[in-house]
Amino acid sequence: MALSFSMLDGERGVVVLFLCRVLFSLPFSLLCHGLNLALLSLFALFLDIRAENCASLSRFRTRPGASSGILLGAVTLPTLMISKLTQLTRAYSLHQIELQELEHMTMQYWATSGSCFGVLIFLCIVVLCTPSATRSPRPCSVWDATLSLFCIASYAATCCVSLAAISHTGSNTVLKLMWELCHGLAAVKLLQDLLNTFPSCASIGEVLLVTAGLVLYFGDMLACTIAKVSGSLISADMVSIKYGIRRSEISIIIQGVLLGLLLFPMLFKFVLHIWEFSSNRGHSAARRCSEIGRSVLFFSSLSFILVVIVPSWMQFVQDFHVHPLLWVCAFVFSEPVKRLSLCIYWVALIYASVLRFYNISKNSKLERILLRKYYHLMAVLMFVPALIFQPKFLDLAFGAALAVFLALEIIRVWRIWPLGQLIHQFMNAFTDHRDSDLLIVSHFSLLLGCAFPIWMSSGFNDRPLAPFAGILSLGIGDTMASMVGYKYGVLRWSKNGKKTVEGTAAGITSVLAACSILLPLLASTGYIFTEHWFSLILAVTVSGLLEAYTAQLDNAFIPLIFYSLLCL
């Protein structure tokens, strides 16, 4: 059965509109990349529709009430990379960047695309090979297999042509194809592990987005490490140590700390098994002593990882002349008045806001979704001044905040004495249907939604509004859409949904109003306005419609979609 327009529900229709906007904006030099993205999108759309019409993917326990989200999850990061690649192509044509940086971003695109396509092949195998116990074999199975094989073969062809175009020898092409294949295999393994470890916490599309991001981020980190060990194994044009925007001291510090925190639970679980096996918990006093010992073991292991192991890797790959923690202190105190004042402002705002909102959550009948939007507004107050006047310090602050969030979530999940239960009770005051007792992700998605466009804009950026994509879409657009829709919304986008036309219109209008205020402010600081209003209106509208229709975690997807459109 051929794919028809009737199969394009609201979310899929907006994603297709988004993809068309990106594909029609690509320069001729990225024609092969655009064809590859179109094949990836077609394959993802096919699987998204099949997942809705069959129960073969029910083996994965996903978040209740959410659609599979395969199309949105599969195309978001590759489209983001190709939009950034379009931006760098403009810069290279104007001789504003080196060729190595363009090739580095090309490899980033293919690594991301390979991760997503590898997961799609895995899901396709599950869909096509899982027997149905409730009905006879589908008559369209031949069409399904034919379409799948066509997409896979065409994808491989476009991949080989593109990688050969940026390689000087055949061995380089083979090496890069193997590197992309490794990304795909790692993504499949990681996706299965995440779905099994955190059941009912996310949809397949949400896990796919996280999986592709982690594989890309730490694959880049692994390539940097291997290149440092032996420069002959991976060529400089692939690793791009000299030109890559992720090679600054701040980015290396963030990478190392995040990797240490993400790997720490596995190490602690192993050590904890040994501890519990050797401890005697026969009576209450012994159990209390064991709980305290477990806590001491946790914090001592975590400190060893963050103070000794992770900084050792940082000094190896980046040639820090001092301990990275001392480098951070020196960086902060290089402009003590501005940066310490900003820290004091942040701490005061967070303390006042959290205390106020927590009391409201306990004593008020206010809808929790509206209460959470106050944190979106708080993000605007925190990040906009820092982004305008201290962008590098904000990069580091985002990494520190993410590290704190990860550490607190690990403490909460493991119920580490004495903070674990307290953190769990506090976080439960702000959860909604997209969170679970096992994993609370809303604060992560808000922080990363604001931070990722800023991190992506750390290198070359000729679109002044692009770094503000997360702050504008989440802090202003999403907040106004929820508040206006809740109080005044009447016309709903769908019969079963809660999103209203009035809320979406308010969100789009508020973002455009904020842009009209922000642009003169940026111009006064030296930025040159290069964004056409038609493109800006289209970007705001598409991201606003996605917020109205998607059943996925919108904090994670909307900023990336908005940023991709702003880069074009």
Side-chain angles (χ1 to χ4, degrees):
M1 181 185 299
L3 302 179
S4 63
F5 286 104
S6 61
M7 297 179 180
L8 294 179
D9 58 12
E11 179 181 301
R12 294 174 191 149
V14 175
V15 174
V16 170
L17 177 62
F18 162 64
L19 289 167
C20 291
R21 168 71 177 115
V22 173
L23 292 175
F24 281 116
S25 301
L26 296 181
F28 183 77
S29 59
L30 298 180
L31 179 62
C32 191
H33 303 71
L35 179 60
N36 173 270
L37 179 61
L39 292 169
L40 176 69
S41 305
L42 178 63
F43 197 21
L45 177 60
F46 156 71
L47 288 174
D48 199 16
I49 294 173
R50 287 292 176 259
E52 184 181 84
N53 297 329
C54 68
S56 56
L57 295 182
S58 60
R59 55 180 287 187
F60 304 115
R61 290 183 291 171
T62 58
R63 177 161 55 85
S67 59
S68 68
I70 294 176
L71 175 61
L72 182 60
V75 304
T76 298
L77 276 186
T79 308
L80 173 67
M81 291 299 167
I82 205 171
S83 297
K84 189 65 179 179
L85 192 57
T86 302
Q87 188 181 50
L88 293 183
T89 302
R90 292 196 303 266
Y92 180 70
S93 64
L94 299 174
H95 307 288
Q96 295 178 326
I97 63 170
E98 301 286 343
L99 177 62
Q100 288 87 344
E101 186 172 354
L102 185 63
E103 293 187 350
H104 172 73
M105 183 54 63
T106 301
M107 284 304 304
Q108 295 288 75
Y109 166 74
W110 285 109
T112 308
S113 177
S115 298
C116 294
F117 205 84
V119 171
L120 293 181
I121 293 177
F122 166 72
L123 295 177
C124 181
I125 293 174
V126 172
V127 169
L128 296 181
C129 296
T130 302
S132 176
T134 60
R135 58 186 179 185
S136 59
R138 295 190 303 268
C140 55
S141 58
V142 176
W143 160 256
D144 292 347
T146 303
L147 178 61
S148 302
L149 291 176
F150 169 77
C151 291
I152 294 173
S154 302
Y155 177 91
T158 56
C159 179
C160 292
V161 171
S162 177
L163 293 180
I166 63 171
S167 301
H168 302 290
T169 63
S171 59
N172 272 340
T173 303
V174 174
L175 182 61
K176 292 175 180 179
L177 285 172
M178 292 178 59
W179 184 250
E180 185 182 352
L181 178 62
C182 290
H183 277 76
L185 295 175
V188 171
K189 175 61 177 175
L190 181 58
L191 179 126
Q192 295 180 76
D193 290 342
L194 289 176
L195 288 173
N196 293 329
T197 306
F198 304 107
S200 304
C201 291
S203 67
I204 294 178
E206 292 164 355
V207 178
L208 177 53
L209 178 69
V210 173
T211 296
L214 289 177
V215 170
L216 174 69
Y217 195 57
F218 295 116
D220 183 66
M221 182 178 178
L222 176 62
C224 179
T225 306
I226 295 176
K228 192 70 175 181
V229 173
S230 60
S232 61
L233 289 182
I234 296 184
S235 57
D237 62 337
M238 178 177 175
V239 182
S240 189
I241 294 177
K242 181 177 179 181
Y243 299 100
I245 61 174
R246 291 176 176 79
R247 300 299 177 237
S248 66
E249 290 85 352
I250 292 177
S251 62
I252 289 295
I253 289 173
I254 294 174
Q255 268 186 321
V257 171
L258 294 186
L259 178 64
L261 287 172
L262 290 173
L263 295 181
F264 171 74
M266 292 184 289
L267 174 64
F268 180 67
K269 185 177 181 180
F270 173 74
V271 176
L272 188 62
H273 281 318
I274 299 177
W275 168 267
E276 291 179 344
F277 179 77
S278 60
S279 63
N280 180 15
R281 302 197 290 179
H283 49 84
S284 59
R287 286 197 298 270
R288 180 65 174 175
C289 181
S290 176
E291 186 178 6
I292 296 176
R294 181 171 174 262
S295 177
V296 172
L297 181 65
F298 175 88
F299 287 108
S300 59
S301 301
L302 183 61
S303 300
F304 180 75
I305 290 289
L306 296 181
V307 177
V308 178
I309 301 299
V310 168
S312 299
W313 175 82
M314 296 177 190
Q315 290 180 306
F316 174 73
V317 299
Q318 190 64 26
D319 296 327
F320 281 93
H321 298 296
V322 296
H323 193 281
L325 292 179
L326 296 178
W327 185 93
V328 170
C329 293
F331 176 77
V332 173
F333 285 97
S334 61
E335 296 183 30
V337 176
K338 295 181 180 180
R339 291 171 181 172
L340 291 180
S341 299
L342 195 57
C343 290
I344 295 173
Y345 167 70
W346 285 341
V347 171
L349 183 62
I350 291 173
Y351 176 79
S353 302
V354 169
L355 184 63
R356 174 62 176 166
F357 298 157
Y358 184 64
N359 291 332
I360 292 176
S361 69
K362 294 190 301 181
N363 304 320
S364 174
K365 295 182 179 180
L366 184 68
E367 281 284 338
R368 188 164 293 185
I369 184 64
L370 294 182
L371 182 63
R372 288 155 56 92
K373 298 307 176 184
Y374 287 117
Y375 282 99
H376 290 218
L377 292 176
M378 187 179 73
V380 177
L381 297 176
M382 290 180 62
F383 302 145
V384 169
L387 182 54
I388 295 176
F389 300 108
Q390 285 289 326
K392 290 185 178 180
F393 181 63
L394 183 60
D395 287 347
L396 182 62
F398 273 131
L402 183 58
V404 171
F405 280 1
L406 281 172
L408 292 178
E409 184 67 8
I410 294 172
I411 293 173
R412 186 194 68 83
V413 171
W414 287 92
R415 297 294 195 275
I416 301 298
W417 180 87
L419 301 176
Q421 188 61 31
L422 295 176
I423 295 174
H424 178 71
Q425 293 175 356
F426 176 80
M427 294 300 300
N428 272 342
F430 304 101
T431 57
D432 65 4
H433 64 281
R434 292 172 295 189
D435 294 307
S436 65
D437 288 338
L438 182 60
L439 198 64
I440 299 177
V441 298
S442 296
H443 55 303
F444 286 103
S445 62
L446 175 60
L447 179 69
L448 288 174
C450 293
F452 201 78
I454 298 174
W455 285 339
M456 288 292 293
S457 303
S458 297
F460 172 82
N461 178 46
D462 60 350
R463 295 292 186 262
L465 288 177
F468 295 87
I471 300 173
L472 290 171
S473 59
L474 297 181
I476 297 177
D478 188 34
T479 302
M480 292 301 298
S482 295
M483 291 184 172
V484 173
Y486 177 77
K487 292 184 177 181
Y488 307 106
V490 176
L491 301 175
R492 301 189 182 276
W493 285 106
S494 62
K495 295 181 180 180
N496 299 325
K498 296 182 178 180
K499 304 297 179 66
T500 64
V501 176
E502 294 86 352
T504 302
I508 294 173
T509 304
S510 63
V511 172
L512 291 175
C515 292
S516 65
I517 297 174
L518 188 59
L519 285 173
L521 182 60
L522 292 174
S524 65
T525 61
Y527 285 96
I528 299 175
F529 179 51
T530 56
E531 190 82 54
H532 296 292
W533 273 104
F534 174 78
S535 300
L536 178 60
I537 294 173
L538 183 60
V540 174
T541 302
V542 171
S543 58
L545 289 175
L546 181 62
E547 190 275 336
Y549 278 115
T550 185
Q552 309 303 306
L553 189 61
D554 50 5
N555 287 0
F557 289 98
I558 293 176
L560 303 183
I561 300 295
F562 191 31
Y563 177 84
S564 302
L565 293 172
L566 289 178
C567 286
L568 297 176

